[in-house]
Amino acid sequence: MALELSAIASHRVKHVGNRQILPYVVGGVVRNALAEPGRVRRGLLKHIWMDLKRFGATSVRNIEISRIRGIDTTVVEGPVAQHGSLILTALAKLLECERVFEFGTYRGETTWLLAHNLPSARIYTLDLGGPDVALRAQLELTDPELVTHWDRGERFRGTPEGRGITQLFGDSATFDFSPYQEKMDLVYVDASHSYSYVRSDTEAALGMLSELGTIVWDDYTGYSGVFAYLNELAPGLDGPIFHLLDTRLALYSRWPVVVTD
Ligand SMILES: C[S@@+](CC[C@H](N)C(=O)[O-])C[C@H]1O[C@@H](n2cnc3c(N)ncnc32)[C@H](O)[C@@H]1O
């Protein structure tokens, strides 16, 4: 009887490891690349390049999100598609931020998310005043497709969350940040992603940070300018810059928010 059972079990067990699926995967890539060359080239090469960048970084350190102190017990509410913004909001919540400054409002999705989950905080959000201002931008703009239509802050306008939001307009390269000096618990840098704008916005962000403040940058892995500037900046800061793996976010904090080895 025991012999019969083990014969049945071995018949049912089929081991599938990486070696077994390799021909299927490689064959699929070749077939898909022939059928839709543009899509495969854009998707696959983009991801390979992003991985090369983060593992080739010499100054910015890669960490798992789970290394953020308290993130595993922090609950935020919002659309799951906005993965990065949810993590940013969780950070703002666990850091008990009272004042947040966002560079780049766009439709205001992240602004709304922050205001919704931090009802007693004040959220400041800055964007260009209109397409004409974009044409006169002081430094190098990225994402020209974003400045063809104008719905800045549409997501929070007229909502209860809007009461916690102060919408600001101007080119971040010439904006007067003096009223916000050393007052912000969190600054989110997500406007133009060129090297020169990220440098200028980060310098302004550092001036606005409170004693235990935090800066988060979006698109660290996506844009060469953000990647180059942050790797250049990191060695000169008083604390590390971390890239949160499986996101596009990078983080610097004056509070020991990351559990280090
Ligand atoms: C990527 S979108 C921001 C997305 C938004 N933070 C969110 O999470 O939904 C970038 C925004 O930055 C704005 N922007 C670009 N350059 C800017 C500048 N120099 N000053 C202020 N805003 C700028 C653009 O108009 C655009 O709305």
Side-chain angles (χ1 to χ4, degrees):
M1 184 64 175
L3 192 69
E4 273 172 34
L5 280 178
S6 79
I8 292 167
S10 67
H11 177 68
R12 282 192 184 153
V13 174
K14 177 181 171 183
H15 173 74
V16 179
N18 285 337
R19 273 190 31 207
Q20 283 72 31
I21 63 167
L22 186 67
Y24 172 83
V25 172
V26 174
V29 169
V30 172
R31 259 194 314 280
N32 292 337
L34 290 173
E36 290 181 276
R39 195 174 69 88
V40 171
R41 195 175 54 238
R42 276 194 305 277
L44 186 61
L45 293 184
K46 183 176 155 195
H47 279 94
I48 292 174
W49 179 231
M50 277 166 59
D51 278 344
L52 281 174
K53 276 192 285 188
R54 63 193 180 134
F55 288 106
T58 49
S59 308
V60 172
R61 287 154 60 173
N62 298 310
I63 55 157
E64 301 288 345
I65 298 164
S66 57
R67 296 262 298 280
I68 296 175
R69 219 178 282 278
I71 200 135
D72 48 344
T73 53
T74 304
V75 177
V76 290
E77 191 181 87
V80 287
Q82 293 178 274
H83 177 225
S85 300
L86 285 173
I87 292 166
L88 173 83
T89 305
L91 253 172
K93 198 168 168 183
L94 69 88
L95 290 166
E96 298 177 4
C97 294
E98 288 173 6
R99 280 181 288 264
V100 180
F101 195 103
E102 179 187 40
F103 283 81
T105 313
Y106 195 46
R107 291 194 65 251
E109 301 284 358
T110 302
T111 334
W112 180 88
L113 204 59
L114 286 162
H116 182 69
N117 287 281
L118 288 93
S120 55
R122 168 102 339 232
I123 319 293
Y124 299 86
T125 183
L126 171 70
D127 209 297
L128 297 161
D132 51 322
V133 187
L135 291 175
R136 287 184 271 111
Q138 293 291 306
L139 305 171
E140 184 194 355
L141 283 187
T142 52
D143 312 295
E145 72 283 2
L146 296 187
V147 293
T148 53
H149 54 286
W150 222 254
D151 50 8
R152 303 308 188 250
E154 187 182 67
R155 176 65 185 88
F156 56 77
R157 198 162 301 122
T159 67
E161 286 76 7
R163 289 197 283 274
I165 297 170
T166 303
Q167 199 169 5
L168 305 166
F169 295 102
D171 181 342
S172 62
T174 52
F175 188 77
D176 177 15
F177 293 99
S178 57
Y180 313 100
Q181 290 304 291
E182 299 179 14
K183 292 201 171 72
M184 296 298 146
D185 302 311
L186 176 68
V187 180
Y188 181 42
V189 180
D190 187 24
S192 178
H193 301 303
S194 67
Y195 176 92
S196 39
Y197 260 120
V198 173
R199 180 175 58 188
S200 164
D201 293 352
T202 303
E203 284 166 5
L206 286 166
M208 286 194 284
L209 271 201
S210 62
E211 202 184 338
L212 296 178
T214 298
I215 304 179
V216 173
W217 296 264
D218 192 25
D219 284 311
Y220 164 70
T221 44
Y223 285 75
S224 326
V226 186
F227 176 84
Y229 177 66
L230 294 190
N231 275 286
E232 195 178 293
L233 174 71
L237 283 179
D238 55 0
I241 298 182
F242 298 103
H243 164 54
L244 307 182
L245 286 169
D246 301 323
T247 78
R248 301 178 310 210
L249 305 176
L251 161 84
Y252 158 79
S253 185
R254 290 183 174 159
W255 193 75
V257 66
V258 171
V259 180
T260 47
D261 296 328

